[in-house]
């Protein structure tokens, strides 16, 4: 199929080189980005999944069987250019409107012109309606497009930078096919720049220019995947660059020239290369090294160079759990709050939230014991047998499970003094494993004190005889002695002159789990149970209160999970 060309002299232009209705008219003094628009699929840079020889979209266009489509992608990736190339190659009239300024009246005008054009050509001249920023149309405006798309009066090409799943009506979306366009890679931006510098017809090929490598990298970084931005900055730099000192010498485009053109320093930073990883490594190690000054510098270096701020936020969350951990448990909530603040505010306001979080992490007490402990546990998961869960830790919601021993001899920690009692919680093969060993820094100092006390009780309990550890009956706190016995029981526990009979003392005597540990006194729970049992039923009331389970009832102190 013959392709159309721009910038051909009138004397050399053949009538066969233009298509009826084609609107690609660009003046020779138009901006460089407009002059360098691709004229056909072969000139298109990037988007190989759409413009490559085997791409479904290209084959549909070349066979002139294109249906309505939505082009979704970031700015400067070629959405408008692709639509115009499609319009030329399909020999269709190309009508463009912008959703930022057009309304329903503009749509009706385009539709009426499309009908007249189709009638005048006997149905041969189609109309492609390109709606830029289609997501800015409201629901009523998008609904107005539906009839003309359904009856084929126009073929819709919508362009949007927003997710069409949320910004385009479902009815219109179901009648269109969505094609995703990606930001251009650094190599693709480099190719765009070099083509503009060497093209003698549409580009800057007739001018004597020298683009130094460092300046080329700076242009690529400033473009951030946007071809239009790259060409605009290049054109502005060429226009404002100082003339050469020697007549006939090329104009040198260096970093200084770019800085003067864009009115800000061109920062050397490669978001996908070695410098990206070097700087994030420097930030992480500065936080770990408790250096708030270096931390602030590296955060600013990344953000001001165009790094994705949410990437920085994710790395700060990682630092909070890896290098601070339990030494300051507030580090993780603060890091998540900083991420939410950045998401809410955006740049540049959100930069302070990330800076605050980074300095907090740098000045917080440090511990990697959670990180190393998890890695040790993970290694055991992968390298040892995955033994069954110990029977006493299993849930027993059914009578069958209880009869199989599920939950038997489980010790309910709240029934013991201090809310702790030793029992084996790891599989037997891993009984002596210690994964988490806190430091003496920050909050882990308190955790260490607590763990030392518990592990001392554990050691004493493990050295005791099995008879001492084996529970003879349900916990005493689950037995409800008569009201008169409660005071005697309390006296027996704390007063030398207790008059409680020996048999009663045996009945309510707590089962010792360790020499230094005793159960909570049952008086703490009996009052509620006694009131429940003794509560009178008022005349005419619906039903008595449910009976509270006694010690002999089938009662599970730990309800099903």
């Amino acid at each position: 199929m013959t392709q159309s060309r721009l910038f051909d002299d009138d004397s050399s232009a053949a009538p066969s080189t233009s298509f009826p209705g084609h609107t690609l008219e660009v003046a020779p003094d138009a901006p460089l980005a407009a002059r360098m628009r691709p004229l056909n699929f072969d000139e298109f840079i990037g988007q190989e999944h759409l413009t490559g020889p085997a791409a479904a979209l290209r084959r549909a266009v070349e066979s002139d069987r294109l249906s309505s489509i939505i082009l979704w992608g970031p700015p400067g990736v070629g959405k408008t250019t692709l639509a115009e190339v499609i319009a030329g190659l399909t020999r269709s009239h190309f009508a463009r409107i912008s959703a930022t300024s057009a309304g329903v009246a503009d749509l009706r005008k385009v539709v009426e012109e499309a009908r007249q054009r189709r009638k005048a050509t006997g149905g041969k001249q189609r109309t492609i309606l390109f709606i830029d920023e289609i997501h800015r149309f409201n629901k009523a405006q998008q609904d107005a497009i539906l009839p003309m798309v359904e009856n084929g009066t126009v073929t819709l090409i919508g362009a949007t930078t927003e997710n069409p799943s949320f910004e385009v009506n479902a009815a219109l979306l179901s009648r269109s096919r969505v094609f995703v366009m990606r930001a251009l890679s650094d190599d693709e931006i480099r190719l765009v720049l070099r083509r503009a510098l060497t093209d003698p017809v549409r580009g800057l090929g007739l001018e004597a220019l020298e683009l130094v490598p460092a300046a080329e990298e700076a242009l690529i970084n400033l473009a951030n995947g946007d071809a239009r931005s790259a060409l605009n900055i290049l054109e502005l730099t060429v226009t404002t660059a100082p003339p050469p000192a020697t007549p006939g010498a090329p104009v040198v485009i260096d970093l200084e020239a770019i800085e003067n053109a864009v009115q800000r320093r061109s920062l050397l930073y490669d978001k996908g290369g070695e410098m990206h990883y070097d700087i994030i490594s420097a930030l992480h190690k500065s936080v770990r090294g408790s250096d708030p000054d270096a931390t602030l510098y590296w955060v600013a270096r990344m953000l001001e160079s165009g790094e994705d701020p949410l990437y920085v936020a994710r790395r700060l969350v990682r630092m909070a759990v890896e290098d601070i951990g339990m030494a300051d448990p507030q580090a993780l909530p603060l890091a998540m709050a900083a991420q939410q603040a950045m998401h809410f505010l955006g740049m540049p306001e959100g930069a302070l939230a990330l800076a605050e979080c980074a300095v907090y992490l740098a000045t917080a007490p440090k511990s990697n014991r959670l990180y190393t402990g998890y890695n040790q546990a993970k290694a055991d998961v992968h390298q040892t047998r995955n033994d069954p869960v110990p029977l006493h830790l299993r849930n027993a919601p059914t009578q069958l499970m209880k009869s199989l021993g599920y939950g038997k001899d489980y010790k309910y920690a709240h029934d013991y003094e201090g809310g702790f009692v030793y029992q084996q919680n790891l599989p037997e093969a891993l009984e002596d494993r210690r994964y988490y060993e806190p430091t003496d820094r920050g909050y882990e100092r308190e955790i260490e004190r607590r763990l030392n006390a518990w592990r001392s009780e554990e050691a004493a309990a493990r050295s005791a005889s099995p008879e001492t550890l084996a529970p003879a009956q349900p916990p005493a706190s689950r037995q409800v002695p008569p009201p008169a016995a409660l005071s005697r029981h309390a006296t027996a526990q704390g007063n030398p002159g207790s008059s409680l009979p020996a048999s009663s003392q045996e009945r309510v005597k707590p089962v010792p789990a360790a020499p230094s540990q005793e159960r909570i006194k049952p008086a703490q729970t009996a009052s509620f149970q006694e009131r429940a049992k003794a509560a009178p039923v008022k005349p005419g009331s619906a039903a008595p209160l449910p009976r509270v389970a006694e010690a002999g009832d089938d009662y599970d102190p730990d309800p099903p999970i």
Side-chain angles (χ1 to χ4, degrees):
M1 179 178 292
T2 305
Q3 306 276 344
S4 65
R5 287 284 299 174
L6 293 181
F7 313 114
D8 291 331
D9 294 334
D10 294 339
S11 59
S12 61
S16 61
T17 60
S18 61
F19 295 113
H22 203 286
T23 60
L24 285 174
E25 300 291 342
V26 181
D29 60 347
L32 179 62
R35 303 200 308 267
M36 291 304 300
R37 285 186 187 277
L39 301 176
N40 50 58
F41 281 125
D42 294 333
E43 290 188 5
F44 221 94
I45 298 175
Q47 318 305 333
E48 283 293 319
H49 61 296
L50 302 180
T51 62
L57 177 62
R58 177 170 179 171
R59 294 166 71 176
V61 171
E62 291 177 342
S63 62
D64 208 14
R65 301 178 64 182
L66 180 69
S67 59
S68 294
I69 62 174
I70 302 290
L71 301 176
W72 172 30
V77 297
K79 298 185 294 294
T80 301
T81 298
L82 181 57
E84 291 174 335
V85 168
I86 291 172
L89 295 181
T90 59
R91 301 182 181 274
S92 298
H93 176 78
F94 187 73
R96 177 199 291 178
I97 62 175
S98 174
T100 59
S101 57
V104 174
D106 300 285
L107 291 174
R108 290 173 178 167
K109 181 180 178 181
V110 171
V111 171
E112 183 58 31
E113 291 176 352
R115 287 183 183 138
Q116 295 296 331
R117 189 178 301 108
R118 195 177 183 91
K119 182 178 180 181
T121 60
K124 296 180 180 180
Q125 179 68 61
R126 300 172 59 195
T127 298
I128 289 182
L129 172 59
F130 174 63
I131 304 179
D132 201 9
E133 305 289 337
I134 191 173
H135 60 274
R136 295 186 181 274
F137 269 165
N138 58 35
K139 184 178 185 299
Q141 291 170 317
Q142 293 187 22
D143 286 342
I145 307 172
L146 283 174
M148 63 183 81
V149 171
E150 284 187 322
N151 60 27
T153 302
V154 297
T155 298
L156 173 66
I157 299 181
T160 177
T161 57
E162 305 295 331
N163 190 330
S165 299
F166 306 120
E167 303 296 339
V168 178
N169 286 356
L172 185 59
L173 201 60
S174 68
R175 292 162 176 81
S176 309
R177 183 173 178 182
V178 177
F179 289 96
V180 180
M181 302 185 72
R182 309 184 184 98
L184 273 64
S185 68
D186 288 353
D187 288 338
E188 290 166 345
I189 293 292
R190 183 177 289 105
L191 183 57
V192 168
L193 293 172
R194 293 180 178 179
R195 178 180 290 181
L197 288 170
T198 56
D199 190 324
V201 178
R202 295 179 290 170
L204 306 171
L206 297 180
E207 301 186 32
L209 301 173
E210 179 185 347
L211 180 63
V212 301
E216 184 180 63
E217 292 302 319
L219 282 172
I220 292 171
N221 288 330
L222 287 170
N224 197 29
D226 184 335
R228 184 190 301 112
S229 176
L231 292 173
N232 287 341
I233 296 174
L234 174 63
E235 184 176 31
L236 181 60
T237 304
V238 170
T239 304
T240 59
T246 304
V251 176
V252 177
I253 307 299
D254 55 13
L255 280 176
E256 184 179 359
I258 293 175
E259 291 170 13
N260 291 334
V262 300
Q263 290 297 302
R264 67 186 179 96
R265 183 170 179 267
S266 181
L267 302 175
L268 291 178
Y269 188 74
D270 184 0
K271 292 192 294 183
E274 183 179 359
M275 188 172 292
H276 164 81
Y277 295 104
D278 286 346
I279 293 183
I280 193 60
S281 176
L283 172 60
H284 198 147
K285 290 170 182 174
S286 298
V287 168
R288 183 183 296 148
S290 301
D291 188 339
D293 303 307
T295 294
L296 271 178
Y297 172 78
W298 293 120
V299 168
R301 176 87 171 262
M302 296 185 78
L303 295 178
E304 296 303 315
S305 298
E307 180 59 78
D308 180 4
L310 291 180
Y311 171 78
V312 179
R314 288 193 297 271
R315 300 314 304 169
L316 291 175
V317 172
R318 171 67 182 190
M319 296 171 206
V321 295
E322 178 180 338
D323 292 296
I324 287 84
M326 294 300 294
D328 186 351
Q330 290 303 312
L332 178 57
L334 184 69
M336 294 305 301
Q339 183 269 340
Q340 288 296 307
M342 171 53 74
H343 185 73
F344 180 69
L345 293 174
M347 286 290 288
E349 292 87 349
L352 282 180
L354 297 184
E356 177 183 339
C357 174
V359 170
Y360 184 94
L361 298 181
T363 56
K366 305 297 188 296
S367 171
N368 71 337
R369 298 300 175 85
L370 187 66
Y371 173 68
T372 57
Y374 178 79
N375 284 339
Q376 292 169 6
K378 182 172 67 173
D380 276 349
V381 168
H382 290 287
Q383 297 172 12
T384 65
R385 286 177 39 179
N386 290 167
D387 291 328
V389 176
L391 278 174
H392 67 281
L393 296 181
R394 299 187 191 183
N395 189 36
T398 68
Q399 189 60 44
L400 173 62
M401 292 179 175
K402 292 179 182 179
S403 67
L404 294 174
Y406 284 33
K408 184 180 180 182
D409 297 337
Y410 167 69
K411 299 172 186 176
Y412 191 59
H414 298 289
D415 286 339
Y416 293 82
E417 190 69 31
F420 173 79
V421 61
Y422 166 71
Q423 58 189 331
Q424 180 58 36
N425 294 316
L426 281 169
E428 186 175 354
L430 303 174
E431 181 177 0
D432 297 323
R433 285 289 197 276
R434 287 284 186 266
Y435 298 117
Y436 179 59
E437 293 289 349
T439 67
D440 59 354
R441 298 185 291 274
Y443 185 68
E444 282 196 327
R445 184 184 300 110
E446 169 63 20
I447 297 176
E448 182 183 34
R449 183 197 63 77
R450 202 180 302 164
L451 277 180
N452 286 342
W454 289 338
R455 287 171 178 175
S456 296
E457 295 182 18
E458 173 186 335
R462 293 175 66 177
S463 63
S465 62
E467 291 78 9
T468 306
L469 295 176
Q473 56 188 21
S477 60
R478 298 300 176 189
Q479 299 181 353
V480 185
L486 289 176
S487 60
R488 297 198 303 271
H489 173 61
T491 303
Q493 295 291 323
N495 298 329
S498 172
S499 59
L500 191 65
S503 59
S504 297
Q505 294 185 42
E506 280 297 316
R507 180 170 59 85
V508 298
K509 181 179 179 180
V511 179
S516 61
Q517 188 168 3
E518 61 179 359
R519 297 178 185 272
I520 296 175
K521 298 175 183 180
Q524 296 176 3
T525 58
S527 58
F528 169 76
Q529 295 175 345
E530 283 300 310
R531 287 197 303 271
K533 296 172 74 173
V537 180
K538 295 182 180 180
S541 61
L545 293 174
R547 184 177 64 85
V548 177
E550 294 288 314
D553 292 340
D554 188 10
Y555 176 74
D556 185 1
D558 198 7
I561 298 173

